[in-house]
Amino acid sequence: MSIHSPAPDWFQMPHGHERLWIGLALVWCLIMFAMMPFWHFKGKQNSTGESYSVTPAEFTERAEKFAQTNKVSEHNGIPVAEPPPGGDAYLLARMWSWYPVLKLRKGETYRLHISSADLQHGFSLQPINMNFQVMPGYDHVLTITPTHTGEFTIVCNEFCGIGHHAMIGKIFVE
Amino acid sequence: MSDLKPGMRRCDTTGLPVCLDAQAFIKLNAVMAVVYLLVGAIAALLLVLTRWPAVHLLDTAWFYRILTLHGINMLIFWILFFEVAVLYFACTTLLNTKLFSRKLAWVSFGLMVVGSVMTDYTIFMGKADVMMTSYLPLLAHPLFYLGIILVAVGTLVGVGNFFGTLYVAKRDKNYEGSMPLVTFGAMTAAIIAVLALLHGAIALVPTFTFSLGLTPEPDPMWYRLIWWGLGHQSQQVNVAAMVSIWYLISYLTTGAKPINEFVSRAAFLLYILFINLASAHHLLVDPGVGAGWKIWNTSYAMYLAVLASLIHGFTVPAGMEIGMRIRGYGRGLFGWLWNAPWKNPAFSGFFLSLVIFGFIGGITGVTLGTQQINILAHNTMRIPGHFHATVVGGTTLSFMAVTYYVVPLFFQRDYPMKWLARLQPYIFAIGIVMVSLGMSFAGTNGVARRTWDIDAAGIYGSTAHLMLGIMGVGGVLAFTGLLIYILLTVWAVFFGESNKGRAIFDWGTPPIVASQAEAEAAEAEASAGRAPGTMVLVMILLISFVVYYFANWKALADLWWVR
């Protein structure tokens, strides 16, 4: 009787179907509990959250230097930079663009540094749909290995002002 | 139950004692809640009509402004005002006690009204286009933060009044033994609310002083961490309040009887103990916190909170099954379910809320909160797809459902146009299911949340557009259901037929048809812990859960490798 005080002997262990269900639910929760560590060791998709403190000015400077050093062409006025396989790549988010455009190779691994020059942004790689948070003051390092070739679009998916929907970047994978 | 104290009356139908002070504040808070529900709902209609690409109604600036307004009014104002009303009900009527303090109730209500008006005014003036979360360094006008802080303080005062009432009821021995389950559930909601609101103060007070230029900028990652101590826990307040209402309505409409009070109470306790740490699941793809921290907090803490919901997902329908069987509706596995009072809007609202929360909200929520799977979902439309099922399909629908009893009990008025009220929960539920599924599948197609236009990216195909269209149609339908609810309720409150001195309108509670022998047989089954129909239903839930969960791991395995 949910709206009246229960009988004095209400403290009883579960039994019958209720006990069966609690047991099943607990087993399922334990399976889910094991999945995250399991995938961490066996799976290929684990963002470790590796990050370093960096000021927006410092990071902007690094990204510009990276873009100039590794520039191979231009895309809509933005430099296209090709980092060396196994090396560092920089991606700067600011209202409302991604800088520079990246050119990567399928099957090669890169240390992709992402940060923001102003507000928080969202790195959303389409159409494969991988999403990470981009924060000013944090150099967020993703050790990434493209497994598909083609043209990929970076959409900003954290609100960053009026021009937010037009904040589009590109990654080309060969 | 002892005799009535001064300042209390007895309900003519239910025999429940009603504290007149509490009644006044239940009315005030419920009315304010409905006002903000309407503001948030008009905003919702404008938003779905903008994100539905074929309509695309608002311009950019107004879209983000209205989105901020929608989140704040729905998730904070509508729900907090209603929860204060629920708390006042649970501590006075159910414990046969007078409200602790009329003054505190005024202070609470005053602070909440001033704060909420201040915040809405700031948003309308275009000084706070910062979304519900107002992530730093994005900054709003100081009045925006001050308004929210005032609402939080006002709510805390109301919660204090609730605890004061609990204390007085215990001291004066107004009830015997343990407090009723519904009050216990409300108490867990109140405890979580205190924890949530304290986090809110820790995050928002330095942000407020920063916006005034008095203190340095708080670290954006620190802000996110603490803010989600507010953001997620406040949603757990809704869950605890909603589950309490499930127990209340299932008792009122079907005579539900919990199999085991200890199990139901322990499940509420799990919410208190684990939900704070589980808030870590909002930071799963953030820099600044490590993988070990993310995995640890989300794994053990979240799954113990999930266990609590899985338990309630069994105990609530099982209690109802038992109640119905004792009344004589025990034929077959599902005789209790077919004969349930589906024409009673309180019942249909409650049961639809249970199903939508469990099958859509619960399953998607746990999956999105998995560290690696979150890579697929973070900040996509899958997130609002999830929480529209939990907060709107679950909490809001259950709050609507209980109103069909709140208005007759506290305002002493009956609803007009009963046939329309009977349809209302179904219209709203179908609409919100379409919204939720439309959003979720748009999100799996990569559509971002909080974005005015998807076509600017030039990458979204017909599936994404179709899903946003389904969301749009569902949004219009849900808005219609909500408008019916508001119009009928407002009509009932101001012009409804008075039920003083006579029975409250009976929406169709199943009468007791069991013979003595049948009722005893059903009681014996119940005390053996048997609820076979519910057992089948929860097994269907579990299988759906397992399939959805592992389908997401499969989708994850197809992504680029990332460390």
Side-chain angles (χ1 to χ4, degrees):
Chain A
M1 295 300 156
S2 318
I3 69 166
H4 302 298
S5 292
D9 63 342
W10 62 265
F11 192 90
Q12 286 173 357
M13 283 298 135
H15 64 303
H17 284 143
E18 197 167 47
R19 188 162 78 178
L20 175 64
W21 173 246
I22 294 172
L24 286 170
L26 188 62
V27 168
W28 173 234
C29 288
L30 286 171
I31 291 172
M32 293 193 295
F33 176 82
M35 274 307 288
M36 280 191 258
F38 167 78
W39 198 265
H40 196 78
F41 293 111
K42 295 283 176 192
K44 306 283 190 198
Q45 294 80 14
N46 297 277
S47 76
T48 54
E50 182 183 353
S51 58
Y52 303 93
S53 180
V54 66
T55 64
E58 268 178 272
F59 192 87
T60 307
E61 201 179 305
R62 280 187 222 166
E64 274 166 2
K65 195 175 158 205
F66 162 77
Q68 279 153 20
T69 319
N70 297 282
K71 182 175 170 180
V72 287
S73 61
E74 277 201 3
H75 178 81
N76 293 338
I78 298 171
V80 178
E82 182 175 1
D88 293 284
Y90 286 82
L91 188 63
L92 174 71
R94 63 189 155 191
M95 292 185 277
W96 291 290
S97 69
W98 298 92
Y99 175 93
V101 171
L102 294 173
K103 189 173 164 190
L104 307 178
R105 293 188 181 275
K106 181 183 166 182
E108 297 291 348
T109 301
Y110 303 89
R111 282 171 60 77
L112 179 60
H113 299 251
I114 307 181
S115 190
S116 163
D118 39 52
L119 301 178
Q120 298 194 27
H121 298 282
F123 171 90
S124 179
L125 190 65
Q126 300 300 335
I128 57 166
N129 204 11
M130 295 181 81
N131 305 278
F132 298 96
Q133 192 73 12
V134 184
M135 312 271 295
Y138 289 82
D139 174 8
H140 192 174
V141 185
L142 301 168
T143 305
I144 206 158
T145 311
T147 56
H148 308 72
T149 56
E151 178 185 334
F152 298 91
T153 304
I154 311 168
V155 176
C156 177
N157 66 7
E158 186 63 80
F159 172 70
C160 57
I162 300 293
H164 161 56
H165 65 278
M167 185 167 163
I168 309 291
K170 288 284 175 197
I171 294 182
F172 298 105
V173 181
E174 282 182 354
Chain B
M1 232 177 258
S2 58
D3 287 334
L4 276 186
K5 294 172 195 52
M8 300 194 70
R9 67 174 175 87
R10 194 170 292 285
C11 170
D12 295 316
T13 313
T14 56
L16 291 172
V18 177
C19 163
L20 297 177
D21 279 349
Q23 171 177 284
F25 287 102
I26 289 169
K27 285 182 183 178
L28 281 173
N29 280 287
V31 166
M32 283 311 291
V34 171
V35 168
Y36 285 117
L37 178 67
L38 182 62
V39 174
I42 293 168
L45 185 68
L46 296 172
L47 294 176
V48 287
L49 291 180
T50 305
R51 290 228 66 178
W52 184 354
V55 183
H56 211 45
L57 184 68
L58 297 176
D59 70 17
T60 331
W62 274 100
F63 173 75
Y64 294 123
R65 194 159 300 156
I66 294 293
L67 188 53
T68 307
L69 184 81
H70 173 66
I72 301 268
N73 279 266
M74 289 305 212
L75 280 168
I76 304 189
F77 301 158
W78 143 246
I79 283 180
L80 282 186
F81 274 106
F82 203 90
E83 276 165 357
V84 172
V86 169
L87 288 183
Y88 288 166
F89 161 77
C91 66
T92 56
T93 288
L94 300 185
L95 297 183
N96 188 23
T97 309
K98 281 186 67 178
L99 192 64
F100 175 66
S101 163
R102 204 183 151 81
K103 278 195 190 122
L104 279 184
W106 271 121
V107 171
S108 158
F109 183 71
L111 283 172
M112 288 175 75
V113 170
V114 170
S116 52
V117 169
M118 192 184 283
T119 300
D120 273 0
Y121 176 79
T122 319
I123 296 171
F124 270 118
M125 290 295 106
K127 303 282 186 196
D129 300 340
V130 291
M131 304 292 116
M132 161 92 183
T133 44
S134 53
Y135 287 144
L136 286 173
L138 191 63
L139 205 58
H141 191 277
L143 285 183
F144 172 81
Y145 304 107
L146 184 62
I148 294 176
I149 292 168
L150 290 181
V151 171
V153 174
T155 311
L156 273 176
V157 172
V159 171
N161 210 356
F162 168 80
F163 285 123
T165 311
L166 290 190
Y167 167 73
V168 170
K170 189 81 190 166
R171 185 193 64 194
D172 297 349
K173 298 192 169 56
N174 285 335
Y175 59 98
E176 284 166 24
S178 309
M179 66 173 71
L181 183 57
V182 173
T183 314
F184 186 84
M187 186 184 73
T188 60
I191 293 171
I192 302 169
V194 171
L195 296 171
L197 294 168
L198 289 178
H199 280 91
I202 298 172
L204 288 179
V205 170
T207 306
F208 170 59
T209 53
F210 167 62
S211 69
L212 289 171
L214 300 175
T215 49
E217 184 190 318
D219 183 88
M221 193 61 224
W222 174 88
Y223 176 89
R224 283 173 72 85
L225 179 67
I226 307 295
W227 195 91
W228 281 109
L230 160 76
H232 201 79
Q233 292 205 80
S234 58
Q235 300 317 303
Q236 213 63 30
V237 179
N238 306 340
V239 172
M242 172 188 76
V243 175
S244 305
I245 285 174
W246 288 352
Y247 281 114
L248 173 70
I249 297 180
S250 62
Y251 170 74
L252 292 174
T253 57
T254 65
K257 192 178 160 191
I259 296 191
N260 185 323
E261 289 265 349
F262 167 57
V263 169
S264 301
R265 283 160 200 254
F268 276 120
L269 278 181
L270 288 177
Y271 285 150
I272 302 180
L273 293 175
F274 294 105
I275 201 59
N276 184 14
L277 296 164
S279 315
H281 69 255
H282 290 275
L283 313 175
L284 290 176
V285 293
D286 283 17
V289 279
W293 183 88
K294 290 169 182 171
I295 290 178
W296 173 247
N297 283 311
T298 50
S299 58
Y300 93 99
M302 192 166 87
Y303 298 136
L304 285 168
V306 168
L307 181 66
S309 289
L310 287 171
I311 292 174
H312 287 305
F314 177 89
T315 56
V316 173
M320 181 193 143
E321 176 173 357
I322 287 166
M324 288 294 284
R325 286 186 192 277
I326 292 173
R327 286 183 173 208
Y329 301 91
R331 184 175 291 186
L333 210 47
F334 293 118
W336 57 279
L337 194 56
W338 308 139
N339 289 300
W342 294 103
K343 285 178 158 181
N344 180 339
F347 175 82
S348 57
F350 138 70
F351 203 83
L352 291 166
S353 153
L354 176 79
V355 171
I356 296 172
F357 183 89
F359 274 86
I360 305 179
I363 291 176
T364 55
V366 175
T367 307
L368 304 182
T370 305
Q371 194 229 353
Q372 295 92 346
I373 292 176
N374 195 252
I375 293 173
L376 280 166
H378 176 73
N379 270 351
T380 68
M381 291 280 274
R382 285 181 72 176
I383 307 297
H386 152 70
F387 70 69
H388 279 80
T390 55
V391 184
V392 191
T395 306
T396 292
L397 187 51
S398 75
F399 286 6
M400 285 176 171
V402 83
T403 315
Y404 291 108
Y405 279 90
V406 169
V407 170
L409 184 61
F410 293 104
F411 290 86
Q412 295 175 281
R413 305 266 187 185
D414 273 339
Y415 270 84
M417 296 209 276
K418 306 280 189 307
W419 63 273
L420 194 56
R422 291 183 201 282
L423 281 178
Q424 186 272 329
Y426 295 98
I427 298 173
F428 185 75
I430 293 169
I432 211 66
V433 165
M434 286 172 70
V435 167
S436 181
L437 294 181
M439 284 177 164
S440 287
F441 288 112
T444 42
N445 279 277
V447 176
R449 70 190 291 201
R450 297 173 166 176
T451 294
W452 174 66
D453 179 29
I454 64 166
D455 287 325
I459 49 169
Y460 295 105
S462 52
T463 316
H465 282 78
L466 174 69
M467 290 304 156
L468 291 173
I470 290 173
M471 177 205 72
V473 175
V476 173
L477 202 58
F479 180 79
T480 310
L482 190 141
L483 203 61
I484 295 171
Y485 162 79
I486 289 183
L487 291 178
L488 291 180
T489 303
V490 169
W491 185 273
V493 164
F494 291 105
F495 313 108
E497 203 183 327
S498 166
N499 64 25
K500 280 180 192 160
R502 63 178 179 81
I504 288 175
F505 177 78
D506 173 37
W507 290 100
T509 311
I512 297 168
V513 295
S515 66
Q516 184 77 18
E518 279 172 330
E520 274 169 17
E523 287 270 13
E525 280 281 279
S527 44
R530 289 177 53 79
T534 302
M535 199 62 216
V536 172
L537 295 181
V538 290
M539 285 311 294
I540 296 172
L541 173 77
L542 185 61
I543 291 164
S544 319
F545 200 159
V546 172
V547 168
Y548 185 79
Y549 184 73
F550 283 110
N552 274 277
W553 283 107
K554 173 71 185 73
L556 182 77
D558 293 337
L559 298 187
W560 290 5
W561 300 357
V562 60
R563 278 274 158 198

